[in-house]
Amino acid sequence: MKFGTKAVHAGVEPDPSTGAIMTPIYQTSTYVQESPGKHKGYAYARGANPTRNALQKSIAALENGKHGLCFSSGMGATDAVIKLLSPGDEVITSNDLYGGSYRMFKRVYEKFGIIFHFLDLTDANNLIPYLNKNTKLLWLETPSNPLMRIIDIEACATIAKKNNVRVAVDNTFASPYLQNPLALGADIVMHSVTKYLSGHSDVIMGALVVDDDQLLHDLAFIANSCGAVPGPQDSFLVLRGIKTLHLRMERHCQNGKKIAEFLKSHPKVGQVYWPGFLDHPNYSIARKQMRDFGGMLSFTLKNDSPAKATQLMESVHLFSLAESLGGVESLINHPASMTHASIPKEERIKNGLSDSLIRLSIGIEDGEDLIDDLTNALNKV
Ligand SMILES: *Cc1c(COP(=O)(O)O)cnc(C)c1O
């Protein structure tokens, strides 16, 4: 089945009790049992809920994976993966990471004795010196946030697999429409469902997709034991959002390309970070592992002035100044003070994330209106 058909149909069946074509919101905390322990697979809603189950099947299908597991947020999903580890275990990850993931790794889990190595993984060979018998997990994020670097998932996974290291990929920026990490050798795909999958900036949710039955079992055990599960209303909203994922992504990509090219040719703009440029350092890998280049991009102004960047962010009208991404509406963000404020300044600058960097999440509005908005704002700085 092709992607668009799966987006509309996967996981969703007419409701058995009424034939309702849309999966109902099963707003219940518990389920009545016929006799003790005898039930239809549902005992208590922390463990399972039919609306959530339909969504889990849908997300798994979009990633061409066997099992999906939803969480109350993207961080809840990431947290479950880290809880598979034990004190003394080591994790290799990239140095251009979602700020919240960096914060969880450094400030929550280091004190439990888990060791994290933050590396430039745009060259897969960089991870080799860090592999040892304690290395248990390779955590990748590509395209990276906010610098749009691309990591070769297959090359990294090949090295990891030879050393029995599990591979997880945060696939939030690409969405399953653009990239399917399981097919490239990953064991776990993580999504902040909050972003493209939901698509309407009205839900916080996370998901994991895996093929391995035992791995699903272990993660579901953590989900049920620790309790970071989403509610049925949110599951319903995401099921609805996914039905248009392919259409939204097409427009996100079209608009992303238009705006990346517009910014690149604008005299006041310095650097534009977008993986679809032929001169992007990881262009060929992006071409190889992604279906298109997405709607996320970052840029700096010439002379790299933080004051002018602030002025620009205050001058746009259609773009809203807000954290998050992947919704139908375009957003503008200042990573240094917003999404990535939790990364220490020296660490940020060292990794190339300057104080004047501006990140855009390009929505599905008419691209020309978005360009007009940016043109007007650039004229004011
Ligand atoms: C937003 C985001 C997360 C965290 O997800 P939440 O749903 O906000 O908890 C993780 N990774 C990336 C790349 C994100 O953009």
Side-chain angles (χ1 to χ4, degrees):
M1 215 187 273
K2 297 265 184 357
F3 191 91
T5 311
K6 283 195 284 192
V8 174
H9 292 287
V12 183
E13 281 165 26
D15 182 54
S17 59
T18 62
I21 193 161
M22 241 343 249
T23 308
I25 302 166
Y26 282 90
Q27 192 77 48
T28 189
S29 60
T30 191
Y31 308 87
V32 178
Q33 309 195 3
E34 270 174 52
S35 66
K38 193 166 171 222
H39 55 73
K40 302 184 171 81
Y42 297 101
Y44 184 61
R46 178 163 18 78
N49 175 286
T51 319
R52 194 200 321 160
N53 274 3
L55 175 61
Q56 292 179 159
K57 284 189 191 145
S58 166
I59 295 177
L62 296 178
E63 283 291 1
N64 296 321
K66 204 163 156 197
H67 308 290
L69 199 58
C70 287
F71 291 83
S72 53
S73 67
M75 294 325 296
T78 302
D79 180 68
V81 176
I82 303 302
K83 282 179 177 147
L84 293 167
L85 304 171
S86 303
D89 286 350
E90 297 189 18
V91 180
I92 296 177
T93 184
S94 49
N95 58 8
D96 183 17
L97 206 58
Y98 174 67
S101 305
Y102 176 88
R103 177 175 60 191
M104 179 197 288
F105 295 169
K106 284 298 277 187
R107 294 181 48 197
V108 178
Y109 280 109
E110 268 189 2
K111 72 170 187 278
F112 289 100
I114 296 169
I115 296 153
F116 295 88
H117 302 283
F118 299 90
L119 311 177
D120 173 5
L121 293 177
T122 51
D123 180 352
N125 292 320
N126 288 349
L127 68 91
I128 294 172
Y130 288 84
L131 290 164
N132 65 52
K133 65 176 187 353
N134 297 324
T135 314
K136 295 288 157 58
L137 178 68
L138 175 63
W139 181 273
L140 304 176
E141 183 183 322
T142 180
S144 76
N145 177 6
L147 291 169
M148 307 305 296
R149 293 183 182 130
I150 307 291
I151 294 172
D152 187 335
I153 298 172
E154 197 166 24
C156 289
T158 305
I159 296 169
K161 282 289 121 80
K162 275 195 201 128
N163 293 274
N164 291 319
V165 173
R166 190 172 263 160
V167 180
V169 178
D170 180 340
N171 203 27
T172 301
F173 262 43
S175 90
Y177 177 81
L178 294 179
Q179 174 172 283
N180 301 119
L182 295 178
L184 301 168
D187 303 289
I188 302 174
V189 179
M190 176 269 172
H191 279 285
S192 170
V193 173
T194 312
K195 315 296 168 51
Y196 286 108
L197 281 165
S198 146
H200 295 73
S201 307
D202 51 9
V203 168
I204 296 281
M205 197 189 291
L208 300 174
V209 181
V210 301
D211 276 333
D212 187 83
D213 297 345
Q214 183 61 42
L215 183 53
L216 171 80
H217 183 268
D218 295 347
L219 289 164
F221 174 79
I222 291 169
N224 186 42
S225 304
C226 301
V229 298
Q233 171 92 35
D234 284 356
S235 301
F236 172 86
L237 286 171
V238 177
L239 271 172
R240 165 188 268 230
I242 284 176
K243 290 184 188 295
T244 55
L245 177 63
H246 51 305
L247 302 177
R248 288 186 280 112
M249 288 310 297
E250 255 176 53
R251 178 61 77 87
H252 284 300
C253 292
Q254 281 167 13
N255 281 350
K257 180 173 181 349
K258 274 188 199 159
I259 289 168
E261 285 167 356
F262 159 77
L263 288 171
K264 195 171 189 173
S265 66
H266 196 284
K268 287 190 180 168
V269 171
Q271 184 121 14
V272 184
Y273 302 88
W274 180 66
F277 289 133
L278 282 167
D279 60 0
H280 183 288
N282 319 122
Y283 173 79
S284 60
I285 299 157
R287 232 2 250 274
K288 194 179 83 179
Q289 75 186 12
M290 296 171 71
R291 187 162 163 183
D292 203 338
F293 303 108
M296 293 301 298
L297 59 93
S298 299
F299 67 100
T300 55
L301 294 174
K302 268 204 184 122
N303 71 34
D304 205 28
S305 150
K308 292 211 161 167
T310 303
Q311 209 181 337
L312 179 86
M313 288 182 274
E314 290 170 354
S315 304
V316 285
H317 295 296
L318 259 183
F319 283 85
S320 303
L321 178 62
E323 300 198 6
S324 198
L325 62 109
V328 291
E329 57 286 282
S330 292
L331 302 180
I332 192 164
N333 166 324
H334 183 231
S337 67
M338 296 166 71
T339 44
H340 291 65
S342 52
I343 301 178
K345 182 163 177 174
E346 318 80 76
E347 206 50 38
R348 259 197 296 112
I349 305 284
K350 200 173 77 191
N351 296 332
L353 201 172
S354 72
D355 279 339
S356 72
L357 190 80
I358 297 167
R359 189 187 83 180
L360 300 179
S361 170
I362 312 292
I364 64 169
E365 300 95 335
D366 193 294
E368 284 179 26
D369 287 331
L370 295 174
I371 288 178
D372 286 348
D373 192 30
L374 289 170
T375 304
N376 291 335
L378 281 161
N379 282 341
K380 293 191 187 143
V381 303

